[in-house]
Amino acid sequence: QPVEATDDAFWDQFWADTATSVQDVFALVPAAEIRAVREESPSNLATLCYKAVEKLVQGAESGCHTEKERQIVLNCCRLLTRILPYIFEDPDWRGFFWSTVPGAGRGGGDEDDENARPLAESLLLAVTDLLFCPDFTVQSHRRSTVDTAEDIHSIDSCEYIWEAGVGFAHSPQPNYIHDLNRTELLKLLLTCFSEAMYLPPSSDSSNTNPWVQFFCSTENRHALPLFTSLLNIVCAYDPVGYGIPYNHLLFSDYREPLVEEAAQVLIVTLDYDSSTSSSPTVDGTTTGTAMDDVDPPGPDNLFVNYLSRIHREEDFQFILKGVARLLSNPLVQTYLPNSAKKIQFHQELLVLFWKLCDFNKKFLFFVLKSSDVLDILVPILYFLNDARADQSRVGLMHIGVFILLLLSGERNFGVRLNKPYSVRVPMDIPVFTGTHADLLIIVFHKIITSGHQRLQPLFDCLLTIVVNVSPYLKSLSMVAANKLLHLLEAFSTTWFLFSAVQNHHLVFFLLEVFNNIIQYQFDGNSNLVYAVIRKRNVFHQLANLPTDSQSIQKGLQRKKKTPEPISRTNSQDGVSMEGSRPAAPAEPGTLKTSLVATPGIDKLTEKSQVSEDGTMRSLEPEASQLSPEGNPPAALSDGEPWSGEASHARRDRRRLSSASSSGQWTPTPDWVMSWKSKLPLQTIMRLLQVLVPQVEKICIDKGLTDESEILKFLQHGTLVGLLPVPHPILIRKYQANSGTAMWFRTYMWGVIYLRNVDPPIWYDTDVKLFEIQRV
């Protein structure tokens, strides 16, 4: 039976209890009960929500000076965190928080101006006020007693930013009670924003989250200090525990849960589709000092706006150092096991790093300006290598590859890769001596040859990254050179080329890599040239690829029985690094969330040509005859989902029966001819024509079988004037599009869903954005 809203004694019992934790609230208020109240006495649920918000608003108004008030605020906060997902899962209730509560202004005459505010807005404004509440979530600046308590509406919250860093120089004394209170309030904010989880994925980018939209608008007077607090708290965090190894074993760390929550709130507020915005600040093309008034107005989302306008070198340095320190944390673990606390929020950090580079081009250029970018690259390669066999971490593989694709569009990234790789992080890869480029190629080879089969849609992307950096690679090691040739060997078998409509693209990418290195970096790359000479038959076979129907059928018959496209046999892997563990598959029973499809590589990138002076100009789509790939008809390439759960079953079937998304596809002589004629083999054939006779002559004359002598000869050789005119360098730069924006949204919420297990905020509610699956 409905209980009157005025029956305070009844409602107060929900938040008056003193000794509860958020876990208690979850235990005391079971899901079934919330659903029962929702169905059977909706007016009670409505009153409970309204009363809880009212208590938060009162707490924010009064400034929470007494212990009792703080307890009530925290309990209301926990209760709302518990109930909100059940409001969101029911479409009829979803609008409830956006309605105004009739007679809400009854409490007193002074509230009449607030009458028209929807409940959601009152809730969000109260939470933001509470996040800068002296003695509750921030240090009070007053030294005196309670009677001169600061009026919460007169304080300038910019003086109460939580941590030094961007735009704030003072680092407040850590206070673990404040950290715990902030964490609970941020948990509630995240729960408010999670309405997005209850709507199915849609490519419609106008579908903005009303909670985030209001929170990041000018209505939120704390938007700037909150954005800065969240960013600084994440980037300043040092899990080693004040720099002393093993310290975390002695002291409980109250900062980590706060940092995690802050990172999650931050990436959700930055969920913004930059492909639909023409805002100049997001491209980073505006000049003048950022954060001032001459900039054209940026996006309405203030968090995105602030992020895109950070511009001071010391701010960039602080952010980059912080993110690199946290991403390298699992690697530090391997030198001194357990010396530092192992953090678990690397996926959120990768999303944050992605947003920084995507929304703030000046930050991207700063990252690439020095070899600091390698402090981001090495952890990403470590995660990619470690997660390659684990189907529950396919999302992590995607974001790592996306970030490297974004970086590889800039010349500086390729140049930085030439730095020698000396950090010996134990990784399950062959031992090699060389540069960061060698590390990247060896890890990519490992992913392609021994990764989970769900990663096949990423092959295009991995090879695009190698193509983008190849013109700048001064000297590949023998190990990396052999890996590249092994990939070409595997991808150019007839059964692989003829078994799916897009497989030949991989061969085009690899040939482009070889051409770039031979044309632009011949001098230092005797190892690669030697490997090409040793495997010359692969190139001859490609040049003589049969195109008649009978041979095509024969090639398909040779298809391996396994759906694994690549043999691991003739790749000399050698010994893995000391102290490394092999990449393990997911434990049975691991939960994972599904991902939506991401666009194909042609949608994901746009081609740019590098001119003589090193500047890039974008190629118009009609100029794509410069591209060597024989692209299949548009209907096929567009209809191919690039990744995504729904397409897996289809793809696995296709891998076995070569059926494509447009019905039964079979390779025809015309189709093979259409791309075979475009294979860019001229440069390599010319190289073989010149060098093979010379190398053979040396071997006969000197009776040599020793490769070091041949390498010495190749090092001093030159092909100046003998090779075809160098082709222009083509770079495929990532371009924002609504397809990737949607992918990021589902990935990010999937991560947040799985990471919030204590308490399990969304567990067992009817989430629509993704499916929860067990391995």
Side-chain angles (χ1 to χ4, degrees), residues 320-517:
L320 180 57
K321 278 272 180 279
V323 173
R325 177 192 324 112
L326 292 170
L327 284 178
S328 324
N329 163 271
L331 288 62
V332 175
Q333 294 296 324
T334 51
Y335 303 123
L336 282 175
N338 302 325
S339 61
K341 185 169 181 143
K342 189 158 188 177
I343 61 160
Q344 301 296 333
F345 55 99
H346 47 273
Q347 299 192 85
E348 293 93 321
L349 285 166
L350 290 171
V351 175
L352 177 60
F353 183 76
W354 168 270
K355 300 275 179 200
L356 280 157
C357 292
D358 195 21
F359 295 155
N360 190 324
K361 288 295 170 257
K362 291 185 185 138
F363 176 75
L364 175 63
F365 299 141
F366 176 84
V367 169
L368 293 164
K369 203 174 68 174
S370 73
S371 50
D372 288 352
V373 65
L374 303 175
D375 298 337
I376 300 285
L377 170 74
V378 172
I380 289 179
L381 291 176
Y382 173 86
F383 291 127
L384 290 179
N385 188 55
D386 188 54
R388 67 177 192 264
D390 181 343
Q391 56 166 311
S392 69
R393 293 198 281 168
V394 169
L396 169 63
M397 299 294 293
H398 275 74
I399 178 130
V401 172
F402 280 159
I403 289 174
L404 298 183
L405 179 66
L406 181 70
L407 295 174
S408 74
E410 307 298 332
R411 173 183 176 275
N412 262 354
F413 182 64
V415 174
R416 298 283 160 240
L417 290 178
N418 290 309
K419 188 174 175 184
Y421 176 67
S422 48
V423 207
R424 288 283 170 247
V425 177
M427 279 163 87
D428 170 29
I429 53 171
V431 179
F432 71 98
T433 306
T435 65
H436 285 76
D438 295 308
L439 177 69
L440 178 126
I441 288 168
I442 291 167
V443 169
F444 282 10
H445 174 269
K446 236 351 184 191
I447 294 168
I448 292 172
T449 55
S450 64
H452 193 270
Q453 62 188 35
R454 291 241 166 126
L455 301 179
Q456 236 187 318
L458 277 178
F459 291 1
D460 274 353
C461 228
L462 291 166
L463 293 187
T464 299
I465 294 165
V466 181
V467 174
N468 282 348
V469 300
S470 59
Y472 311 111
L473 304 183
K474 294 205 179 335
S475 158
L476 285 183
S477 70
M478 193 57 99
V479 178
N482 285 332
K483 296 296 176 213
L484 286 175
L485 278 140
H486 174 241
L487 289 179
L488 182 69
E489 218 173 342
F491 289 147
S492 58
T493 58
T494 47
W495 75 266
F496 184 73
L497 283 174
F498 297 157
S499 63
V501 68
Q502 71 288 4
N503 282 355
H504 63 278
H505 291 182
L506 300 172
V507 169
F508 277 88
F509 285 137
L510 285 164
L511 291 175
E512 215 177 318
V513 171
F514 297 136
N515 287 340
N516 282 341
I517 293 179

Side-chain angles (χ1 to χ4, degrees), residues 48-102:
L48 182 64
C49 291
Y50 155 62
K51 284 284 192 188
V53 172
E54 187 182 49
K55 286 290 176 204
L56 289 180
V57 172
Q58 285 168 2
E61 295 282 320
S62 71
C64 283
H65 295 302
T66 65
E67 196 46 56
K68 185 172 179 227
E69 279 178 289
R70 289 174 200 158
Q71 203 51 55
I72 289 175
V73 162
L74 290 173
N75 283 340
C76 289
C77 187
R78 292 159 187 160
L79 193 65
L80 286 166
T81 302
R82 180 61 171 145
I83 293 172
L84 273 166
Y86 298 91
I87 302 267
F88 295 150
E89 75 175 357
D90 184 334
D92 299 338
W93 274 86
R94 229 166 267 151
F96 169 71
F97 270 85
W98 294 96
S99 58
T100 48
V101 178

Side-chain angles (χ1 to χ4, degrees), residues 281-299:
T281 42
V282 175
D283 328 325
T285 46
T286 52
T287 49
T289 54
M291 295 286 203
D292 62 11
D293 305 331
V294 296
D295 273 352

Side-chain angles (χ1 to χ4, degrees), residues 560-579:
K560 303 275 186 351
K561 293 291 167 280
T562 63
E564 184 80 67
I566 297 220
S567 69
R568 299 172 201 180
T569 45
N570 48 5
S571 158
Q572 312 80 11
D573 243 15
V575 196
S576 272
M577 293 176 65
E578 202 180 329

